[in-house]
């Protein structure tokens, strides 16, 4: 079955600290992977995507993610978190069907 | 460059009623997908339209139907509303690319069914 697991429902980090949000996927074909961010009451904004090639991808707002096929993971990282990064983060997998399957999200809180 | 727009932003309906939500895709995009996001959940795929045809569908009942117009805008219709249909409905647009398509999302329409 195709699925995305985000094991951390809620994470709190201090401003300036590093961040890693976990994402594991199950997908029978070549996966295309995405991270989106959602601020309260808003739609989804694309942070970054992976289709092929270099397994370390850079995105907007200083985020990066690493695709590890052997671990079926696509974790999101940021070296130094800003208060404005507080939001909900969604990992998604797609493929040739072009249907996105989302995880349940990780809510990030940033302490001053 | 206008992004994906959706209307209305909020909507309140009662059980059994019908609702129509609207979406205009990003300029240059001809594919529209609809997702339902219940509170505390990730978005769930409803269906996708391309060239005015439903290209694929998720696990949603026939009460959920859609339409795409020649200008690529789209409507989502839900009949016989249930309390469980209360959710944020997201529209996303893209350009076909054999799966390597990036979907850009609108702000959503929040539907409350009483």
């Amino acid at each position: 079955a195709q699925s995305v697991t985000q094991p951390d429902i809620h994470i709190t980090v201090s401003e300036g600290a590093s961040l890693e949000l976990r994402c594991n996927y199950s997908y029978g074909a070549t996966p295309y992977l995405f991270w989106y961010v959602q601020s309260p009451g808003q739609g989804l904004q694309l942070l970054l995507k992976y289709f092929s090639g270099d397994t370390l991808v850079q995105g907007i707002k200083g985020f990066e993610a690493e695709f590890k096929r052997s671990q079926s993971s696509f974790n999101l990282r940021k070296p130094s978190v800003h208060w404005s990064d507080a939001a909900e983060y969604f990992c998604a997998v797609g493929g040739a069907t072009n249907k996105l399957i989302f995880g349940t999200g990780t809510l990030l809180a940033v302490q001053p | 460059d206008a992004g994906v727009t959706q209307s209305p932003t909020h909507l309140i309906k009662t059980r059994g009623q019908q609702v129509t939500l609207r979406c205009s895709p990003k300029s240059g995009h001809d594919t529209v997908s609809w997702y339902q996001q219940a509170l505390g959940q990730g978005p769930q795929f409803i269906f996708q339209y391309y060239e005015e045809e439903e290209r694929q569908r998720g696990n949603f009942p026939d009460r959920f139907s859609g339409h795409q117009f020649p200008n690529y805008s789209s409507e989502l219709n839900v009949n016989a509303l249930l309390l469980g249909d209360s959710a944020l409905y997201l529209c996303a647009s893209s350009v076909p690319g054999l799966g390597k398509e990036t979907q850009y999302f609108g702000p959503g329409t929040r539907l409350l069914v009483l």
Side-chain angles (χ1 to χ4, degrees):
Chain A
Q2 301 168 347
S3 65
V4 174
T5 301
Q6 294 182 246
D8 304 305
I9 297 172
H10 187 271
I11 283 182
T12 300
V13 300
S14 298
E15 191 168 16
S18 64
L19 171 71
E20 182 169 24
L21 302 182
R22 296 182 290 165
C23 172
N24 291 96
Y25 67 89
S26 173
Y27 198 77
T30 301
Y32 303 139
L33 295 155
F34 306 82
W35 275 98
Y36 286 88
V37 60
Q38 186 176 40
S39 297
Q42 302 296 312
L44 300 171
Q45 181 183 21
L46 179 70
L47 285 177
L48 47 78
K49 59 190 176 185
Y50 173 79
F51 291 149
S52 62
D54 191 346
T55 57
L56 184 63
V57 293
Q58 303 297 320
I60 63 171
K61 303 185 180 185
F63 286 92
E64 66 177 27
E66 186 171 12
F67 171 58
K68 293 185 177 180
R69 185 183 298 275
S70 62
Q71 299 176 19
S72 298
S73 70
F74 189 57
N75 293 349
L76 182 71
R77 301 193 293 248
K78 186 170 185 177
S80 177
V81 170
H82 188 262
W83 63 266
S84 61
D85 293 325
E88 190 153 26
Y89 292 78
F90 292 93
C91 180
V93 65
T97 63
N98 194 36
K99 173 180 77 173
L100 290 180
I101 299 166
F102 285 85
T104 52
T106 296
L107 186 62
L108 174 65
V110 180
Q111 287 181 335
Chain B
D1 177 21
V4 180
T5 60
Q6 292 185 243
S7 64
T9 55
H10 295 82
L11 206 50
I12 300 175
K13 293 287 188 179
T14 56
R15 281 180 299 173
Q17 284 189 312
Q18 179 265 344
V19 68
T20 297
L21 311 182
R22 295 175 178 82
C23 171
S24 291
K26 189 177 166 66
S27 178
H29 288 189
D30 56 8
T31 301
V32 173
S33 303
W34 287 92
Y35 292 81
Q36 180 196 66
Q37 185 179 18
L39 201 60
Q41 300 295 316
Q44 299 283 322
F45 176 78
I46 302 175
F47 43 51
Q48 184 180 83
Y49 277 84
Y50 171 66
E51 292 188 340
E52 302 180 50
E53 298 278 335
E54 183 182 287
R55 188 160 78 167
Q56 60 176 316
R57 188 179 184 92
N59 190 26
F60 278 81
D62 292 344
R63 298 187 297 110
F64 289 77
S65 63
H67 188 78
Q68 186 178 34
F69 298 93
N71 67 351
Y72 309 123
S73 67
S74 177
E75 288 181 350
L76 164 65
N77 300 292
V78 187
N79 294 322
L81 284 167
L82 304 174
L83 296 180
D85 294 331
S86 295
L88 179 68
Y89 288 85
L90 295 164
C91 169
S93 72
S94 58
V95 176
L98 296 175
K100 292 184 178 181
E101 304 169 24
T102 300
Q103 295 188 24
Y104 294 88
F105 284 81
T109 294
R110 188 163 297 281
L111 172 65
L112 178 61
V113 182
L114 300 176

